[in-house]
Amino acid sequence: MDDPRRVTPRTDVVLADPDVQAAVARLGKRIVKQAVDDVLDRCRRGEVDPSHVAAAVVAALPARATSLRAVLNATGVVVHTNLGRAPLSAAAVDALQVAAGATDVELDLVSGRRGRRGRATLAALQAAVPDAGGVHVVNNGAAALALVTCVLASGKNVVIARGELVEIGDGFRIPELLESVGATLREVGTTNRVKLSDYAGAIDAETAFVLKVHPSNFRVEGFTAAVPVRELSGLSVPVVVDIGSGLLAAHPRLPDEPSAGAVLRAGARLVTASGDKLLGGPQCGLLLGERELVERLRTHPFARALRVDKLALAALEATLSGPPTPVAVALASRPEELRRRAERIASELAAYGAVAVESTAAVGGGGAPGVELESAAVSLPAELNDRLRTGTPAVVGYLHGGRLLLDLIALPAIHDPHLVDAVHKAEKGEG
Ligand SMILES: *Cc1c(COP(=O)(O)O)cnc(C)c1O
């Protein structure tokens, strides 16, 4: 037999293959060259037939130029931080397509003059929260809070309850953010209790505002006391409320989540929130409140550093004015319907020991830490977990009682067939 090193084709010959050229046009040279190098190494080791190198390269290539993988969210966590928070609606994905090219984000096509950036998105937000006199959108929730603090409280102090000195996750602590833009924190009350008189006693001539932060990822239970926004709004300085979750109006299943509308009606002068939690939109930060205050924030030099991109503006508009988001659909799902889906899927996978079971789901990083959502799951042998998680599409469930549970609440029903296919593939050891 020939020495495989001598019959291994040269790199430039493989790259000239029409199928490989087509892949270069689609994915770029770097990705394809890497695949060519890998396949040629295997060819030299005798693992790939020299006449099949081009075909092996094409087979080894990723489907697209992003290494991000699609995941079927079977975790039972509706807004999953590690899975990119809220999945976008089809309407928002469609909007992204348009915004990705040249688009009139800052041009008024009727007059031919420069237009206000994202005006339609801001109008949709304004319409969704009629209690807000002004609205502005920035890069994320933290940016919204940073802008408010930088503009209103740099060199001044912010009064905040000790129980609201919150860490959101991944080491992001709200008090450190406020200090990083030049505010001094004046902490009042204790971890579990704070009174109106605590706030009133802490306010002085250097106080910019009182900040109320919604504890969106934990709950303090028992001997607790907090001061409602309505009472705080009677104090001598503005009240700013970070509601976190981005709920614009009250949700019946989430009675403890504050909504932007309710907080503004209670007297908050400004509200900040995230776009990619319960609102179900792209990553962005919402600023809502008194018109003059919002205008001051919008026109401040620092605002430019926090500017939201055109993709997020397009997706946010579609989120606000389009059909219900996947998050909204998940929160509205009925346990009987989830149960029926689980039974249908389990019957198709009965050969692998699948059964439909009840499951308890959660809202997740988006908020409502105390809320348990009644749900249903497909229970499978735990051995499938690793293969499903590394398959295509990846399926992420959770282990419970020695079984792998695939919860359906956060999985749009249109993906049920994909879940079934993924389990078949995992069982066969394909991926
Ligand atoms: C999530 C959250 C933030 C941070 O928002 P990002 O969009 O992640 O920057 C700030 N405050 C609260 C209360 C939150 O829940």
Side-chain angles (χ1 to χ4, degrees):
M1 199 183 134
D2 284 336
D3 177 349
R5 274 167 306 187
R6 260 192 287 147
V7 293
T8 296
R10 291 198 345 242
T11 304
D12 55 345
V13 174
V14 182
L15 280 170
D17 178 278
D19 290 343
V20 176
Q21 278 295 303
V24 169
R26 198 162 46 85
L27 298 171
K29 188 152 180 181
R30 200 186 58 81
I31 291 174
V32 178
K33 174 77 165 44
Q34 183 62 54
V36 170
D37 291 345
D38 292 347
V39 172
L40 289 179
D41 279 346
R42 283 160 54 205
C43 186
R44 280 181 209 103
R45 294 197 298 267
E47 295 164 14
V48 174
D49 187 307
S51 61
H52 293 155
V53 164
V57 167
V58 170
L61 285 169
R64 40 186 67 86
T66 173
S67 57
L68 287 178
R69 307 265 306 273
V71 173
L72 298 182
N73 177 4
T75 59
V77 178
V78 175
V79 180
H80 198 296
T81 304
N82 302 140
L83 297 180
R85 289 197 181 155
L88 294 180
S89 66
V93 172
D94 188 50
L96 288 177
Q97 289 283 347
V98 178
T103 184
D104 60 340
V105 64
E106 275 184 43
L107 182 69
D108 178 2
L109 291 173
V110 175
S111 68
R113 296 218 188 89
R114 181 178 187 136
R116 168 104 177 254
R117 184 179 169 85
R119 62 203 171 284
T121 305
L122 296 172
L125 184 55
Q126 183 87 67
V129 190
D131 295 295
V135 299
H136 183 54
V137 181
V138 290
N139 187 47
N140 64 5
L145 202 50
L147 185 57
V148 173
T149 309
C150 168
V151 176
L152 304 182
S154 187
K156 299 189 175 180
N157 70 60
V158 171
V159 176
I160 182 171
R162 282 212 166 75
E164 297 175 10
L165 299 169
V166 174
E167 174 167 331
I168 300 302
D170 199 22
F172 166 52
R173 294 178 170 170
I174 286 181
E176 291 173 359
L177 173 77
L178 303 181
E179 286 168 341
S180 77
V181 287
T184 304
L185 291 191
R186 189 150 290 178
E187 302 166 17
V188 294
T190 59
T191 307
N192 55 331
R193 290 177 74 83
V194 62
K195 298 188 301 253
L196 185 62
S197 57
D198 295 325
Y199 284 99
I203 291 172
D204 63 20
E206 293 305 306
T207 302
F209 56 84
V210 164
L211 178 65
K212 200 166 161 62
V213 178
H214 178 60
S216 50
N217 54 5
F218 71 101
R219 266 202 316 176
V220 183
E221 279 178 76
F223 187 55
T224 65
V227 186
V229 174
R230 187 166 296 288
E231 288 177 33
L232 291 177
S233 66
L235 293 168
S236 58
V237 294
V239 179
V240 176
V241 183
D242 174 14
I243 60 168
S245 74
L247 215 54
L248 300 183
H251 192 290
R253 266 181 121 168
L254 311 173
D256 297 331
E257 279 301 303
S259 72
V263 168
L264 288 169
R265 284 193 297 280
R269 304 269 289 275
L270 281 172
V271 172
T272 66
S274 292
D276 57 354
K277 294 178 175 175
L278 294 176
L279 182 60
Q283 180 192 303
C284 61
L286 313 181
L287 276 159
L288 311 131
E290 228 170 72
R291 190 185 169 82
E292 296 73 30
L293 273 179
V294 173
E295 200 54 20
R296 250 179 90 190
L297 302 177
R298 187 180 74 78
T299 53
H300 189 276
F302 190 42
R304 175 60 183 229
L306 310 173
R307 188 170 91 155
V308 65
D309 79 315
K310 62 177 179 170
L311 298 178
L313 282 170
L316 179 60
E317 183 189 359
T319 299
L320 290 165
S321 47
T325 66
V327 169
V329 170
L331 290 176
S333 58
R334 287 174 301 125
E336 321 81 75
E337 179 51 27
L338 294 170
R339 178 86 193 180
R340 264 196 294 279
R341 285 172 57 200
E343 279 165 2
R344 214 174 303 133
I345 294 169
S347 73
E348 291 190 53
L349 300 171
Y352 314 134
V355 285
V357 296
E358 284 174 4
S359 167
T360 303
V363 173
V371 172
E372 293 188 343
L373 302 168
E374 218 182 306
S375 182
V378 179
S379 163
L380 284 162
E383 298 78 65
L384 282 173
N385 190 26
D386 289 349
R387 259 180 283 155
L388 278 169
R389 203 183 53 248
T390 53
T392 305
V395 178
V396 181
Y398 69 99
L399 295 170
H400 180 75
R403 298 279 290 180
L404 172 63
L405 298 196
L406 304 179
D407 187 296
L408 299 181
I409 199 166
L411 188 78
I414 52 159
H415 289 313
D416 287 359
H418 306 139
L419 190 68
V420 170
D421 286 348
V423 175
H424 281 310
K425 280 210 248 169
E427 264 292 334
K428 294 196 201 105
E430 297 167 9

